[in-house]
Amino acid sequence: MRRSDTIKMGVDRAPHRSLLYATGKVKTKDLGKPFIGVCNSYIDIIPGHVHLREFAEIVKEAIIEAGGIPFEFNTIGVDDGIAMGHIGMRYSLPSRELIVDSAETVINAHWFDGVFYIPNCDKITPGMLMAAARTNVPSVFVSGGPMEAGTSSSGKQLSLSSVFEGVGAYKSGKMTEEEFKDIENNACPTCGSCSGMFTANSMNCLMEMLGLALPGNGSVVATSDKRKELIFEAAKHLVRMVEEDVKPRDIITKEAIDDAFALDMAMGGSTNTVLHTLAIAKEAGIDYNLSEINKIAERIPYLAKIMPASDISMDDINKAGGVSAIINELTRIPEAIHPDRLTITGKTMGELVSEYKITNNQVIRSKDNPYSPVGGLSILYGNIAPEGAVIKVGAVDPTISVFEGEAIVFESQEQAQEAIDNGAVREGHVVIIRYEGPKGGPGMPEMLAPTSAIMGRGLGSSVALLTDGRFSGASRGISIGHISPEAAEGGPIALIENGDTIKIDLPNRTLHVNLSDQQLEERRKELKPFEPKIKNGWLGRYSKLVTNASNGGVMSI
Ligand SMILES: CC(C)(O)[C@@H](O)C(=O)O
Ligand SMILES: [Mg+2]
């Protein structure tokens, strides 16, 4: 008995069959075939998704060829780059929840036997992964693929982060208008997800490591015909998985989550992956503690330094062997990852990647010559972040290990941005941006504009930034986010005052303000209760129900 028999078999389902015939997609002879949902995310304001209408047509063709009947539906999407720096960014993380809930709704209301997911950009990928884990219907993923890197007139490799940092450089007089315009016009040359190791590409690579996508998913560019091959192969696996009843939770195990973080460490993934992977684990019924991530960081070397941490693009990574070559390299380190895990191909992860070799050691380092012996992401704890905070250590100036500075406090991203722009933020400052967490923002906005402004002004090694909000994958410098508990739930970040001394110790993974527990308690007595900034509509509801970043920023039921 198939799931979809619920909507198509027996006398009582005659009305349902009438409607299915009316779609023009089903004939009586097809009723025994698996019904496959095609969860697409076509939307033409996101360059990473602009090509997905045609993409889904190929997917449907591939599903029919593999013996299934495809039914397409769409999710919404937010372009984080376009939503950056204004109210739009407050909708970005909440959009992940709408994507999960809407995919669950369509999949369960129509009893699909399997789902072919087509994600690409920031919240769409984790939203769909969460939906797969939640519905636990056999699933495969083929993402839209990365954008090709841009090239400036002087031949420099560019990505979206070059434009964001260009804003800071231009505004502070460090870049001419001509150079600035040249970057703006050349940074994003094709469709696809932005070309660095930003959030979209980080999640699409991670999906390969989870075992839910085929080799090449994370790094083959959107414009390549190879994506078509991935689609046809994935469709065959999906129909087989439906027949064999192989479900997402057979693949998304605790070991798979460990390994997803391991890949993040090896590639210096976006800090957002921490938020999303915790949320995916939750949906898969896995109790995963944030502190586990540091144990993984200790055993995984940093092998691939990609934009914004270098000038290397995802396309360069693909040409140097791709994500599978990195995974294969990790299998050569004893006990580093779990190569015996199941993948959608029916092969183990170890078997699947065994043929993939690093072809250019300038781009992907070997385990014996890594950029750093420890991973590119780190979880910091201390009296500012009792439940944890996240930093992309791989994108910090390597000469910095301990940073001590003076707090300069802002109650919103906008206030901080103004102070950075007018020069009030100076060397030795630790910029605190609070009330920007999931509840406080609401929506935990990404702060690419302030982090890029700091970099663009040449303050990347002399100013730190701490927030209960989050960052873009394109953010770099001493940028510490996801501070939990957040200010809106009374976290200690709410108690910091201008002039406090903040100490960030990267090797020991700690984050402290020079105040005793007693001093913090004294200040707490003065703390005013949090008043939500938005009280109605979707964001009002979200602010009420969302949990903090150490819980993946998921909504409580
Ligand atoms: C706009 C970006 C670069 O996609 C950002 O939103 C990220 O999270 O990496
Ligand atoms: Mg983003």
Side-chain angles (χ1 to χ4, degrees), residues 407-420 422 424-425 429-436 465-468 493 496 498:
I408 174 166
V409 181
F410 303 96
E411 310 298 333
S412 72
Q413 179 180 187
E414 290 71 24
Q415 277 182 14
Q417 183 70 45
E418 208 181 303
I420 298 166
N422 68 26
V425 170
H429 270 148
V430 177
V431 178
I432 310 281
I433 309 181
R434 63 192 178 195
Y435 293 99
E436 293 287 19
L465 191 152
L466 264 57
T467 181
D468 51 9
I493 185 174
I496 297 173
N498 282 334

Side-chain angles (χ1 to χ4, degrees), residues 213-389:
L214 294 170
N217 183 67
S219 60
V220 171
V221 288
T223 47
S224 164
D225 277 346
K226 272 212 174 137
R227 291 235 152 234
K228 205 170 161 181
E229 290 168 28
L230 290 183
I231 291 174
F232 276 89
E233 204 187 325
K236 270 193 227 142
H237 287 305
L238 178 56
V239 171
R240 179 190 43 78
M241 286 163 74
V242 170
E243 300 306 346
E244 294 173 1
D245 202 24
V246 180
K247 297 187 176 121
R249 289 195 205 172
D250 301 330
I251 295 172
I252 312 173
T253 56
K254 158 85 170 52
E255 288 73 28
I257 298 289
D258 280 345
D259 291 356
F261 281 124
L263 184 74
D264 243 2
M265 296 301 166
M267 297 184 77
S270 160
T271 44
N272 285 317
T273 56
V274 174
L275 199 63
H276 299 324
T277 308
L278 290 177
I280 294 160
K282 270 204 166 56
E283 293 289 358
I286 300 162
D287 197 11
Y288 203 93
N289 195 290
L290 192 60
S291 59
E292 301 261 331
I293 298 172
N294 283 342
K295 291 186 216 151
I296 297 168
E298 289 298 332
R299 63 171 189 256
I300 303 291
Y302 189 13
L303 302 180
K305 218 174 200 182
I306 309 160
M307 294 192 277
S310 73
D311 282 340
I312 294 171
S313 69
M314 281 313 297
D315 194 17
D316 297 328
I317 293 293
N318 193 51
K319 289 174 183 142
V323 173
S324 294
I326 299 175
I327 300 176
N328 194 13
E329 187 67 10
L330 294 178
T331 64
R332 297 177 56 226
I333 307 170
E335 318 264 303
I337 62 166
H338 305 86
D340 297 331
R341 287 185 293 113
L342 182 65
T343 69
I344 53 166
T345 61
K347 291 183 183 167
T348 65
M349 179 56 72
E351 287 164 353
L352 185 61
V353 300
S354 63
E355 302 290 303
Y356 292 83
K357 299 274 150 39
I358 301 170
T359 56
N360 182 344
N361 276 120
Q362 308 285 347
V363 175
I364 303 175
R365 298 270 185 99
S366 76
K367 71 174 180 53
D368 303 316
N369 179 32
Y371 286 102
S372 138
V374 296
L377 287 175
S378 187
I379 309 298
L380 309 182
Y381 290 95
N383 67 354
I384 302 178
E387 291 173 19

Side-chain angles (χ1 to χ4, degrees), residues 6-46:
T6 312
I7 61 159
K8 62 176 155 62
M9 292 306 187
V11 178
D12 291 341
R13 299 303 186 234
H16 307 57
R17 284 191 294 273
S18 284
L19 292 168
L20 287 167
Y21 299 148
T23 63
K25 301 170 62 94
V26 183
K27 301 214 167 21
T28 309
K29 68 172 174 45
D30 298 321
L31 292 174
K33 293 180 181 171
F35 279 16
I36 307 290
V38 176
C39 182
N40 195 12
S41 48
Y42 166 72
I43 172 168
D44 63 5
I45 195 166
I46 311 183

Side-chain angles (χ1 to χ4, degrees), residues 89-145:
M89 189 33 87
R90 303 194 187 283
Y91 285 95
S92 166
L93 185 59
S95 76
R96 188 187 73 181
E97 307 307 302
L98 294 175
I99 290 163
V100 194
D101 289 352
S102 60
E104 175 201 342
T105 303
V106 180
I107 294 163
N108 284 347
H110 304 101
W111 289 88
F112 291 133
D113 298 305
V115 185
F116 194 119
Y117 289 93
I118 312 173
N120 216 25
C121 288
D122 294 24
K123 302 307 160 300
I124 297 132
T125 303
M128 288 188 182
L129 283 165
M130 288 162 76
R134 185 186 292 178
T135 54
N136 206 26
V137 172
S139 300
V140 294
F141 287 74
V142 177
S143 310

Side-chain angles (χ1 to χ4, degrees), residues 533-555:
K533 291 175 203 151
I534 299 179
K535 292 191 177 129
N536 48 27
W538 163 229
L539 291 185
R541 199 156 72 241
Y542 179 84
S543 173
K544 249 190 193 154
L545 296 177
V546 74
T547 61
N548 72 27
S550 70
N551 290 296
V554 296
M555 284 170 84

